[in-house]
Amino acid sequence: MGSSNTFLFFCIILLCVNSGAARELHYDWTVSFSEAMPLGVDKKVIVINDQFPGPLLNATTNDVVNINIHNNLTESFLMTWNGVQMRRNSWQDGVQETNCPILPGENWTYSFQLKDQIGSYFYFPSLLFQKAAGGYGPIRVNNRAVVPIPFAQPDYEYDVLIGDWYNADYQLLRLALDGGSVLPLPDGILINGLGPNQATFDFQPGATYRLRISNVGLKTALNFRIQDHQMLLVETEGSYTVKHYYESLDIHVGQSYSVLVTAKNQTEGSSFYMVAASRFIPVELIGVGIVRYSGFQGKPREPLPPFLASYDYKYSIDQALSIRSDLSVGASRPNPQGSYHYGSINVTRMLVLKNDVAFINGQNRYTVNGVSFLHPDTPLKLADYYNLSNVFVPGIIPDAPSNSLPHLGVSVIDTKYHDYAHVVFQNPLFSPQTWHSDGFNFFVVGMGLGIWDEGKMDTYNMVDAIYRSTVQVYPLSWTAILIELDNMGMWNLRSQDAEKWYMGQEVYIRVKGVEQDPSKISPRDESPIPQNVIKCGRAL
């Protein structure tokens, strides 16, 4: 090879290395209380850097994010990153059994890499029912320049956080749950932390907008639409979808979607309603925002668009089944999403998880396979690392529903690194359920009415199922997923219904390799314990 060619070769190598180099991003966030009146009633809300919702976390695939959180609340605090997979690093997951809390007046720095991810997500407080007071905000993970997005670059982007809202103080709601009560119906629906007609979105005629929409509420599924505008669905929780236009989208608690909206060319300076309407509850609650053209300040002349019937489950199920992965495009990497043939992999672990409700020790509790999660005195991740006895025993929760009496327990499911799991969520109740997995996305291969049995596998989509981290299970129904457990650590699998989660509807999945001693696991498989780790309980 000649000298000029050698120089060119090394220049190309250097360019490739630099183009994939990880950036270090640093943020300083202060969490505190403030007063707000989203629905006309004064309420204590949780703000971040005096913002509600909190600031946008805007990063790119493979960036390393460092967020120093100062807790100025009067009680302990943790932040979790809904949908961010925390590859090899459950130490940063920010839930009660992976992290000791940040005490009042203290601070702690989360440090994690957005490894091999793109997409739309959000963060929120994970302790003490604090999500009912806000503290949430949007996350964007953008494509690297070497991996193009599979649609024309939009002219503008908006983050749209929709969710139910309670006027009652979150601490009073928590006390009610602790006393055995159930949550009442919410008082309203917020859009970006604002009440009816307060959230505004400025459109320029003919421009294209990417809206990253997340349901950040406590328990209510919402139907989202923009008056007289169609939405082209392009992404959900890091997976690019087959492009399809929708008049409206059902977005369940904890789910995130990206849509493209093309602004009208001729509007005469008018405005249009953006609507988030409650689903599957006995009252009709509506959150309303305003899409304004050319700064038009007035309200739309037309009435609100028509709403779907509150309990139209068929519409919702048909829509859910219509959302498919686009196999021909890349996501965080150039190779197509369809290059991973999930349907041809042999299942090595089978779990059937039934959610239910029970009355245990004088309390209304929610269960998974008859077990309602009881938090031990030391986070599971620390107990596992330090090999502390009598904190948890894997196997307390069975792999399938049993006839045993409902009881409290520390539910940990042991799995092997690279197990390929078939998980069925069974919902025998008359209300919908939503499940979320920290640490992983999964393929939603099927859903249907009734009780699941092996014959239902004949109906599975084994080709282009959507790949996401949060999925709904309709009343008296089942949903099946396939998930590769390729992320070592201690991972939370939970109900996204905040009430059910708080009252016990969660499990932890421990993913381990051949080496059982956590202190001897290779950093190539799992990140070592952080130098700044907070210790508590029996790990002090």
Side-chain angles (χ1 to χ4, degrees):
M1 182 181 291
S3 59
S4 60
N5 288 336
T6 302
F7 177 77
L8 178 61
F9 173 79
F10 282 109
C11 282
I12 292 172
I13 293 296
L14 183 62
L15 178 63
C16 291
V17 171
N18 286 340
S19 66
R23 296 186 305 168
E24 286 267 354
L25 303 179
H26 295 270
Y27 298 89
D28 206 55
W29 288 0
T30 297
V31 179
S32 59
F33 289 124
S34 184
E35 297 293 323
M37 302 175 63
L39 296 178
V41 176
D42 192 45
K43 177 176 176 174
K44 179 171 61 179
V45 300
I46 295 175
V47 296
I48 301 173
N49 291 353
D50 296 324
Q51 299 178 46
F52 172 58
L56 168 66
L57 175 54
N58 193 12
T60 299
T61 303
N62 296 337
D63 284 351
V64 175
V65 177
N66 303 278
I67 303 177
N68 185 17
I69 290 187
H70 303 262
N71 180 12
N72 282 3
L73 304 181
T74 55
E75 56 188 17
S76 299
F77 183 84
L78 282 176
M79 188 77 83
T80 194
W81 319 90
N82 199 75
V84 176
Q85 291 183 15
M86 300 291 170
R87 302 298 300 177
R88 305 182 297 109
N89 199 4
S90 60
W91 294 108
Q92 308 292 327
D93 200 30
V95 289
Q96 190 165 349
E97 297 308 326
T98 60
N99 294 84
C100 294
I102 307 170
L103 297 177
E106 302 291 332
N107 69 291
W108 192 69
T109 300
Y110 289 88
S111 183
F112 54 88
Q113 185 176 26
L114 298 166
K115 180 69 174 172
D116 291 336
Q117 276 193 276
I118 55 93
S120 309
Y121 311 97
F122 64 96
Y123 57 84
F124 69 92
S126 64
L127 294 184
L128 300 172
F129 216 64
Q130 291 165 349
K131 189 184 181 188
Y136 50 72
I139 301 174
R140 298 181 195 172
V141 185
N142 305 292
N143 289 63
R144 293 179 294 149
V146 296
V147 184
I149 58 175
F151 44 84
Q153 184 70 40
D155 298 299
Y156 305 96
E157 293 196 31
Y158 281 121
D159 302 288
V160 185
L161 305 183
I162 58 177
D164 55 15
W165 187 252
Y166 290 76
N167 286 328
D169 185 89
Y170 80 95
Q171 293 168 318
L172 295 179
L173 294 174
R174 186 175 74 210
L175 283 172
L177 293 177
D178 291 338
S181 299
V182 297
L183 281 187
L185 292 170
D187 294 295
I189 308 298
L190 303 188
I191 298 179
N192 284 351
L194 298 170
N197 302 311
Q198 296 180 46
T200 58
F201 303 84
D202 289 320
F203 276 22
Q204 299 298 320
T208 301
Y209 291 80
R210 182 175 182 174
L211 306 184
R212 297 175 183 259
I213 313 157
S214 295
N215 186 336
V216 298
L218 295 186
K219 60 183 303 174
T220 309
L222 299 174
N223 181 262
F224 180 86
R225 66 176 59 202
I226 301 176
Q227 184 180 34
D228 293 341
H229 291 69
Q230 286 197 320
M231 301 179 292
L232 181 65
L233 181 63
V234 295
E235 176 256 334
T236 178
E237 295 155 29
S239 179
Y240 287 123
T241 65
V242 173
K243 297 177 184 63
H244 185 77
Y245 281 100
Y246 293 89
E247 297 286 342
S248 69
L249 280 169
D250 275 357
I251 304 177
H252 297 258
V253 177
Q255 292 184 333
S256 298
Y257 289 86
S258 277
V259 300
L260 298 182
V261 178
T262 301
K264 296 176 179 294
N265 281 314
Q266 301 295 327
T267 65
E268 298 180 356
S270 58
S271 60
F272 298 84
Y273 287 116
M274 175 185 288
V275 177
S278 61
R279 299 282 275 151
F280 318 130
I281 62 174
V283 296
E284 190 173 79
L285 300 174
I286 303 167
V288 181
I290 306 293
V291 172
R292 308 184 303 188
Y293 278 82
S294 302
F296 180 73
Q297 298 297 316
K299 293 183 180 179
R301 291 188 293 270
E302 299 296 325
L304 287 169
F307 303 112
L308 300 173
S310 293
Y311 290 94
D312 187 353
Y313 286 113
K314 183 179 185 306
Y315 173 93
S316 192
I317 293 171
D318 289 346
Q319 182 180 93
L321 294 174
S322 74
I323 299 173
R324 306 293 182 92
S325 292
D326 188 342
L327 303 183
S328 65
V329 305
S332 61
R333 297 188 178 192
N335 54 299
Q337 294 180 147
S339 61
Y340 180 79
H341 302 290
Y342 69 88
S344 63
I345 301 175
N346 292 327
V347 171
T348 55
R349 188 69 185 269
M350 178 74 195
L351 298 168
V352 179
L353 303 179
K354 176 184 175 183
N355 65 264
D356 215 334
V357 61
F359 199 66
I360 304 174
N361 297 343
Q363 272 192 319
N364 187 64
R365 300 284 300 191
Y366 294 92
T367 62
V368 184
N369 287 357
V371 184
S372 185
F373 194 89
L374 178 67
H375 292 283
D377 60 6
T378 305
L380 296 175
K381 184 63 181 168
L382 281 173
D384 189 35
Y385 183 83
Y386 289 112
N387 196 27
L388 301 177
S389 60
N390 301 321
V391 176
F392 71 97
V393 178
I396 284 179
I397 179 172
D399 286 2
S402 68
N403 294 322
S404 62
L405 291 175
H407 60 280
L408 302 176
V410 184
S411 302
V412 177
I413 298 174
D414 247 359
T415 63
K416 297 178 181 178
Y417 190 37
H418 289 302
D419 265 359
Y420 193 65
H422 177 193
V423 182
V424 176
F425 299 109
Q426 184 74 55
N427 180 14
L429 303 181
F430 288 97
S431 58
Q433 172 67 289
T434 311
W435 284 98
H436 173 83
S437 174
D438 282 355
F440 306 93
N441 270 24
F442 45 71
F443 295 96
V444 184
V445 293
M447 57 178 60
L449 295 172
I451 298 175
W452 181 88
D453 57 56
E454 290 189 2
K456 303 296 193 301
M457 294 170 65
D458 294 337
T459 69
Y460 284 6
N461 174 5
M462 302 299 281
V463 179
D464 61 351
I466 195 62
Y467 183 61
R468 64 187 315 164
S469 62
T470 306
V471 67
Q472 68 270 33
V473 192
Y474 292 97
L476 308 177
S477 298
W478 56 270
T479 293
I481 66 172
L482 294 177
I483 179 171
E484 183 180 9
L485 299 171
D486 61 350
N487 196 10
M488 211 177 281
M490 185 76 71
W491 301 107
N492 186 230
L493 177 65
R494 62 175 176 268
S495 171
Q496 287 284 61
D497 182 318
E499 175 184 12
K500 293 174 181 174
W501 182 21
Y502 182 77
M503 298 304 294
Q505 207 156 81
E506 64 178 318
V507 302
Y508 279 80
I509 297 179
R510 183 171 69 166
V511 183
K512 299 194 79 168
V514 175
E515 177 58 68
Q516 294 296 298
D517 184 345
S519 64
K520 296 180 181 179
I521 293 174
S522 168
R524 292 174 299 178
D525 295 326
E526 184 174 13
S527 298
I529 188 170
Q531 291 184 348
N532 68 337
V533 68
I534 302 174
K535 297 180 181 180
C536 58
R538 288 162 46 195
L540 284 172

